Amino acid sequence: MLKNRGITFKLIFLLLTGSTVIFALIFMYNYELTKKIILRNAEANAKHIATITVNKIEGILKLVERANHNIVYFIERTPYTKADIDETLRYIMENNNEIFGAALAFEPRTIDKGLHYFAPYYYRRGDTLKFKALGSENDNYFYQDWYQIPMELGSPLWSEPYYDSDGPDIIMSTYSVPFRSSAPGQHTGKPFIGVMATDVDLNWLHETLSSVKMYKTGYAFLISRNGTIVTHPDKELIMNESIFSIAEARADKNLRAIAKAMVRGETGFKQIEGFGLGKGQKSWIFYVPLKSEGWALGLIVPDEELLADITSLHKKVIALVFAGVALLSILIASISVSITRPLRRLVAATKDIAIGNLDIEIPPAKTKDEIGELTNSFVYMKTALKEYIRELTEATRAKEHIDSELKIAHEIQMSFLHKLFPPFPDRVEFDLFATIMPAKEVGGDFYDFFFIDEAHLCFIIADVSGKGVPASLFMAMTKTLIKAQTAVGLSPDEILFNVNRNLAKENNVNMFVTIFYGILNTDTGEVEFANGGHNPPLLYKKDTAELIPLETGGIVVGILEDGITFDKGTVTMAEGDFILMYTDGVTEAINERDEEFGEERLMRLLRDNHDKTIRALVELINEEVAEFSGTQPQFDDITLMVLKYETIDN
Amino acid sequence: MRHIKPILALLALAVFQLAAAVAAFGEGGLTEASFVPQWLPQAQFAGYYVAYDKGIYKKHGIDLKLITGGPENPPSPLLQKGKADFATMWLSTAIQMRAKGQKLVNIAQIVRRSSQMLVARKTSGIVTPQDLNGKKVSLWGGDSSTQGMAFLKKYNLTVKLVNQSDSVNLFMHGAVDAASAMLYNEYHTIINSGLDPEELTTFSFYDHGVNFPEDGLYVSEERFAADPELCCAFARASIEGWLYAFAHPDEAVDIVMKYMFKAHVPSNKPHQMWMLVKMKGLILDGNGTTTQIGVLAKEDYERTTALLKEGGLIETTAAFDSFYKDCVKK
C-alpha cells in the first residue's frame, strides 16, 4: 500500500505520523505532570482555606468551651447554693454573646434532697434573657444526649447538632461538661453530680462557610460526628441528609469511604462524583476534622474548575501542535518536492533516452547533494551513450564497407577457379570435378587444372596457411606463381622447387602453402606428382579396389628458401581409377563431440561409393561432412577435387 | 436542649383545627374519626399516611383526622381520653394497658413479628450473646425494654443497663457497648453514621426466639362496640394503604416525607426507603404473600402474654377473643 506511493506521500505520512505520536506522548506526559502540580497546589490551597476556616470556627467554639470549663472549675472547688448557680448562669450569659443558652443540670437529689430534677436554664430570646427549669416526667433530661453521653463517658462533648425548640431554622449544638461534687462522697472520691451545658446557635457557621470560596463554585460544608450535614449551600440537605445517606442514594461506595474517613477525623484530598453537583460531574473534596467537636469540614471543587487553567493551556497546546504539524507538512512537502522534481525530470529524460532521443536537454543540477550527483552522472551517461552510439554507427558503416569489399574479393577469388564442369567436354579420357567452400568470404584453398600441352593435364590443389584476406592474397600469388613456373618439360618436383624459392624469397609474413601438384599424361594414364606438405590425395584402383595415398617427400611451400627440394612420385591410372584430392578442411571438420571427420571415414566413403559419378561422389562427401559437423561452425575452407581416368587412348 | 414539645403541640392543634374545619363543611356520608400513630411521621406508618393522602380512608367512608404522634402524643392516653379513635401500639404495650384496666381491642396486627435487636461493634469483642456479659447495654425505657429483658434473661446475662433515648449517639460515641435498635430505623441510622454492617454484630430478638409482634391497630372497646363497621373499615383501609405503599414505594416515601417535613422531622429518602422496605418484610408473610396480613395469630398473642406475665409486667390476661376483633377476615 505505502510502498506504491510516491516519496512525497511517504515522507509526509511517516514524518507526520511519527511527529504526531511524539507530540501526543509529550502532551500526555505534560498533561499528567501539570495536572499533578495543579492538584498539589489545589490541595495546598484547600488545606490553607480549611485551616483558616477551622480556626475561625474553633476560635468561637473555644470561647464557649472555656466559659463552660471556667464554671465547672468553680463549682467543683467551691461550695455553692442554688442562688449562686442562678447568678453564675446569668453571669455567663451576660458576658458571652456566643452562648445561646446555659444550664447546670444536676443528678437527682444532689443539690436538694427533695428535688429529682434540678436544672436551671437561661437562654436568649431576642435581646432578652429567659429562664426555664428543665426536667419533668415528660422531659427527662437524664436520658437526653447532652446530659447522658458526657455523663456516661465522663468527658466533655459537643452534641450532635439539633433544631432548637423555638424554631426549625435555628440549629444548635450543646457543649456539655460533666462535673463532680465539691465535697468528697461517702465511698469513692468526688462523685459525679451533674452536667454544665452551653448551647450555641450554629447559624453563624452557615455564614462563615458560605463566605468560603474556592475557584468559581467551590464551596465548604460541615458535617457532624455522625455525618449529618450541618451546613451546605443546598439548604435542603441540612440536618436531613448525612453524607452517608447521600452516598447510599447514589450507591457511591467511594463517597461512603470518604465519609467514613471524615467521621474518623482523617484529612484527605480525593476525587468524587457529584455531591452537590450533577450526577456524574467529577469534583475534588478536601476534608479536615474539627478535632474538639468531632466534626469535619469538607471543601468541594468541581474538577473542571480545578483543571480550567490546565484545560485552556492544553487547548492552546493542541492548537499549537496542529499548527506545528501543518507547518511541518508544508515543509516536508516542499523538501520532498525539491527532491522529487529533479528526479521526476530525470525519469522523463530516461524515457526519452530509452526511445533513442539522446539530444534531450537535462536540466543542470542546482545542488551538490545526491540529487545533484545523480543529475551529473546522468548527464555524463547521456554524453557517453551518445559518443558510444556514434562510434558504433561508424564502426558498423566501416564493417559494411569491408563486407561489401570482401564480397567482391570473394567473387574475384571464385572467378580464379574453374566453375564449369566438365571443364573439357571434348576430352573423353578423363573427367574432373571440384568444389570449394571457403570458411570466410575469401579463403586460402584453391584448385587449378590446365593443359601444359595436348597430352599433359596439370592439376593442383593447395591450402594456404591461415584464412581470410591474407590467405586469399597469398593464394592468388601462389596460383599465379605456379602457373608461371609451369612449363613443358619441367617435372612437378622441379616446379614446386621453383615456386618455393620464389614464394620464400619475399615472404615477410611467414605464410606458407601446402601444394599437391600432379601432371596426367592423358594418353597413358601416367601421373607424375609432387607433394609439398599437402594431405596425400587418395588414388582408387578400380581393379583392386585399393586406396593408395599419393605421397612424396616434401615440406610446406613458402617458408624456407634454401635447400628445399621436393620428390617426384609416379603412378599410372587405369580405366575407372580416380584420384580424390582434398584439403584438411575435410578431414579436420569436427562434430559437437570434438571428434574429427578423419581419413578413415573419408576412405570408407570412397570405397562404398566408388561407382558413383565423380560429381555425385564429391557432393556426397560434402553432405557427409556437413552432416557430421552438425551445428559446429566451419573452421576451414573445404575443397574437394576428383580426377577420374576414363579411357586410354588407342 | 431538645424541646420539640411546643412545635409539635402546635402542629397537632393545627391538624385538629384543619380537620375540624373540613368536617364543618360536611363531607357527605363520611363518618368522622381520628387516628394517632405511636411516633413521629416516618415510613413505619407509611400505610396510614398513604391511605390518608390517597383518599383511601374516604373511599372506605371515613373522614379521618390524622394526629401527629410522637413523645408528646402517646397513643394510649389519647385513646383513653377519647381524643383519638384509633391508634397504633405495640402488642406488648396494648396487653399491658389492657391489664391495667384500659379497655382496648386489637382490630389488626400490622407488624406481625419483632424487628427489635441489639447492635454491638465487633471491635468490642461481642460476637455471641454471652459476650454481652458485664458489658454496658442500653435499652429503651418503659415497655420497649420488655423484649430486651427477656433476651437477657434467656441467655442468663448480667449487664450494666443504661437507659437509651431516641438517638443512637450513646452507642456512636462508644458510651455503651450494645444498644437497642429497630431493624427498620436505628440499625440503618447506625450504618449511615459510618459503621458498615460487616463491622456490627446484631442480635435480632426474633431470631433468638423473643418475638413480640409490634405495631397493631387499636380502638377502645366501647368505640368498637358502638360502630364495629367503622372500626373494621378503618383496619381494611389501613391495610389497603399499606399494599398501595408496597406497590408504589417511591410515591409512598414521598408522601411520608411530605408529612415529616410538615412536622419538621429531619428526614432523608434513603432512610425512609430502607424503612419502607423493612416494613414490607415485617408486614407481609415470610414469602411475601398477603394472605395473613393484619391477622393476629392466637399463638403470638399467647406467647407475648406469657412472656409479659413471666416478666412480672402483667398479672391478668384478657381472653384472645375479647382482645382481638378480626376485621380482616370479615
Side-chain angles (χ1 to χ4, degrees), chain A residues 101-103 121 132 134 136 138-139 143-146 148-149 152-153 157-160 162-166 168 172 174 197 199 225-227 236 239-246 248-249 256 260 263-264, chain B residues 1-7 71-72 136 138 160-170 172-176 188-197 199 257 261 264-271 274:
Chain A
Y121 174 53
K132 193 199 261 177
L134 300 179
S136 69
N138 284 336
D139 181 23
Y143 303 133
Q144 287 173 0
D145 286 350
W146 65 268
Q148 189 185 22
I149 299 172
E152 290 291 340
L153 292 172
L157 178 87
W158 279 98
S159 75
E160 280 290 298
Y162 58 90
Y163 279 121
D164 177 57
S165 56
D166 273 344
M172 305 268 278
T174 302
D199 296 343
R225 188 187 290 262
N226 286 356
E236 298 248 311
M239 296 300 283
N240 286 324
E241 300 280 351
S242 82
I243 188 165
F244 293 103
S245 69
I246 290 167
E248 183 182 350
R256 182 173 171 92
K260 287 187 74 169
V263 299
R264 275 199 301 265
Chain B
M1 264 129 284
R2 309 209 59 160
H3 287 284
I4 328 176
K5 197 193 281 182
I7 354 164
E72 322 301 330
K136 263 186 173 177
S138 63
K160 186 171 181 265
L161 281 177
V162 174
N163 198 302
Q164 183 174 333
S165 69
D166 57 339
S167 87
V168 294
N169 293 330
L170 204 58
M172 291 310 298
H173 280 90
V176 292
H188 186 253
T189 304
I190 290 168
I191 289 171
N192 269 0
S193 296
L195 288 171
D196 294 338
E199 295 176 280
M257 287 182 70
F261 182 74
H264 295 285
V265 179
S267 67
N268 62 67
K269 197 160 180 175
H271 187 60
W274 166 281

Side-chain angles (χ1 to χ4, degrees), chain A residues 348-369:
Chain A
T350 311
K351 280 177 188 161
D352 272 342
I353 288 168
I355 58 170
N357 182 5
L358 285 172
D359 293 326
I360 187 166
E361 193 62 34
I362 292 171
K366 286 174 191 162
T367 55
K368 283 189 173 176
D369 57 11

